[in-house]
């Protein structure tokens, strides 16, 4: 079953879980993200770990590097759109 986790990052604190779900809810989360120009990243292992967190909970320090790389990549893509 498809899972999705949306993260919120305010550049001051660690990213937090803004939304999460599976099945139809996961599809809706991804649909809303696309409609709002939010980059989607597929990583089943990362989603599995993040989906264990509660809404509003900060990501654990062990995931900082993985999430930071995704955020940096998203910014690089956004900055270089034609």
């Amino acid at each position: 079953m498809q899972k999705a986790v949306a993260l919120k990052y305010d550049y001051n604190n660690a990213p937090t879980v803004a939304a999460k779900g599976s099945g139809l809810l996961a599809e809706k989360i991804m649909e809303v993200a696309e409609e709002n120009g939010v980059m989607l990243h597929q990583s089943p292992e990362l989603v599995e770990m993040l989906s264990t967190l509660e809404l509003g909970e900060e990501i654990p320090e062990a995931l900082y590097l993985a999430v930071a790389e995704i955020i940096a990549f998203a910014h690089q893509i956004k900055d270089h759109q034609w």
Side-chain angles (χ1 to χ4, degrees), residues 12-59:
N12 294 313
N13 301 298
T16 59
V17 176
K20 67 178 187 171
S22 58
L24 292 174
L25 183 54
E27 290 176 24
K28 186 63 178 176
I29 290 168
M30 291 184 291
E31 180 183 313
V32 169
E34 286 179 343
E35 289 171 357
N36 289 281
V38 175
M39 187 192 95
L40 299 177
H41 176 78
Q42 293 186 13
S43 175
E45 298 84 9
L46 184 57
V47 168
E48 198 61 43
M49 288 184 268
L50 292 171
S51 66
T52 65
L53 303 175
E54 297 298 322
L55 293 177
E57 188 175 350
E58 288 186 352
I59 65 168

